[in-house]
């Protein structure tokens, strides 16, 4: 049913269309975002800004998921965005790993809708992500969550797959299956990527020498750190720091 005259008049009176999204500032555990065709952020609530490690929406506008997230997660989000825009069909309650306000991997349900201009052309996506509390009660997911917490808590040292399985309380084989099914990575890869992600945060937020950051995260030298960082982030640590600083 098309909007009635009174409805059109009402929304035309709103000074800023973004005012409607202010309600999302006050919903706990909800991440709101709007992106354009190129995947650039056009709007977001404070929770999303914190999740990306920036101070406010103004700092987020114009950036993409690839500026803040590991490449494999950013690519998955971008593919979802493009499919929603191509098909014009909403993506509803997609279960996926997502970074919370403390930038820890957690389970969220994501919903994305195509965003259209006044002529009906799709010009971007609008979406929300929220915690999936019900699924978190599932034993396998609890194991995955415990594994990601261990990886984060031990990001400043080298841990083995055996260490991780022992901390979670399962066999290495079972942990491997669960992580593969849930996150698409092996225990070794989860541990390594978590160390690299933490190092990336320090590169962006501190002026510590790169070699010091490398050693603080369990890498034996700057060369090996650079090799692993570039393989997973797509940039050298120096390039990442320069790009983040603008």
């Amino acid at each position: 049913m098309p909007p009635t005259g009174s409805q059109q008049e009402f929304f035309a009176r709103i000074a800023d269309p973004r005012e409607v999204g202010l309600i999302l500032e006050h919903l706990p555990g909800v991440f709101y975002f709007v992106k354009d065709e190129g995947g650039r952020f056009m709007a977001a609530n404070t929770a999303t800004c914190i999740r990306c490690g920036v101070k406010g929406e103004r700092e987020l506008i114009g950036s993409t998921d690839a500026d803040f997230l590991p490449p494999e997660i950013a690519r998955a989000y971008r593919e979802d965005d493009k499919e929603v825009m191509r098909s014009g069909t909403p993506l509803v309650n997609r279960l996926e790993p997502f970074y919370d306000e403390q930038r820890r991997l957690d389970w969220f349900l994501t919903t994305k809708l195509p965003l259209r201009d006044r002529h009906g052309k799709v010009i971007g996506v609008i979406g929300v992500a929220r915690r999936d509390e019900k699924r978190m009660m599932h034993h396998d997911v609890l194991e995955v969550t415990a594994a990601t917490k261990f990886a984060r808590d031990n990001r400043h040292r080298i841990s083995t797959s055996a260490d991780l399985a022992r901390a979670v309380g399962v066999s290495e084989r079972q942990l491997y299956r669960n992580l593969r099914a849930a996150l698409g990575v092996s225990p070794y890869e989860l541990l390594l990527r978590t160390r690299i992600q933490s190092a990336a945060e320090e590169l962006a937020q501190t002026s510590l020498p790169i070699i010091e950051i490398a050693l603080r995260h369990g890498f034996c030298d700057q060369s090996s750190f650079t090799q692993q960082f570039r393989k997973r982030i797509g940039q050298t640590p120096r390039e990442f720091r320069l790009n983040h600083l603008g």
Side-chain angles (χ1 to χ4, degrees), residues 146-160 163-164 167 190-192 194-196 198 216-218:
T148 58
K149 182 179 186 304
F150 176 89
R152 184 69 181 173
D153 290 346
N154 293 273
R155 62 192 180 277
H156 292 300
R157 70 180 183 89
I158 297 177
S159 300
T160 66
D163 293 331
L164 185 57
L190 173 65
L191 291 165
L192 180 57
T194 302
R195 287 162 54 209
I196 289 175
S198 176
R216 276 170 50 83
H217 289 84

Side-chain angles (χ1 to χ4, degrees), residues 218-237:
F219 294 92
C220 59
D221 54 43
Q222 187 167 329
S223 176
S224 62
F225 173 57
T226 297
Q227 180 183 13
Q228 299 289 0
F229 191 97
R230 180 166 48 194
K231 181 177 179 180
R232 288 161 178 82
I233 302 297
Q235 300 174 318
T236 66

Side-chain angles (χ1 to χ4, degrees), residues 57-180:
E57 186 184 55
R58 180 174 297 181
E59 191 175 344
L60 187 66
I61 301 306
S63 61
T64 70
D65 288 313
D67 295 312
F68 307 106
L69 300 174
E72 71 282 356
I73 294 181
R75 281 194 297 269
Y77 291 173
R78 181 59 182 152
E79 288 304 312
D80 284 346
D81 292 348
K82 289 193 290 187
E83 176 59 22
V84 168
M85 289 187 290
R86 184 197 65 77
S87 67
T89 302
L91 181 155
V92 180
N93 285 345
R94 166 73 65 82
L95 182 69
E96 57 189 5
F98 195 81
Y99 282 96
D100 65 11
E101 296 91 335
Q102 287 74 46
R103 295 180 63 75
R104 297 172 302 195
L105 278 176
D106 204 345
W107 287 101
F108 285 79
L109 291 171
T110 300
T111 294
K112 298 178 181 180
L113 284 74
L115 193 60
R116 302 178 185 273
D117 65 13
R118 295 180 179 178
H119 305 290
K121 178 184 176 183
V122 175
I123 59 172
V125 296
I126 181 171
V128 295
R130 55 187 174 83
R131 285 182 175 84
D132 182 24
E133 302 292 350
K134 183 176 180 180
R135 183 175 173 91
M136 287 302 296
M137 299 303 294
H138 192 281
H139 183 64
D140 290 350
V141 176
L142 292 176
E143 291 172 0
V144 173
T145 302
T148 58
K149 182 179 186 304
F150 176 89
R152 184 69 181 173
D153 290 346
N154 293 273
R155 62 192 180 277
H156 292 300
R157 70 180 183 89
I158 297 177
S159 300
T160 66
S161 298
D163 293 331
L164 185 57
R166 192 177 306 112
V168 175
V170 298
S171 68
E172 289 187 61
R173 178 174 296 183
Q174 181 177 342
L175 182 63
Y176 181 92
R177 287 198 304 267
N178 289 345
L179 287 178
R180 274 291 181 190

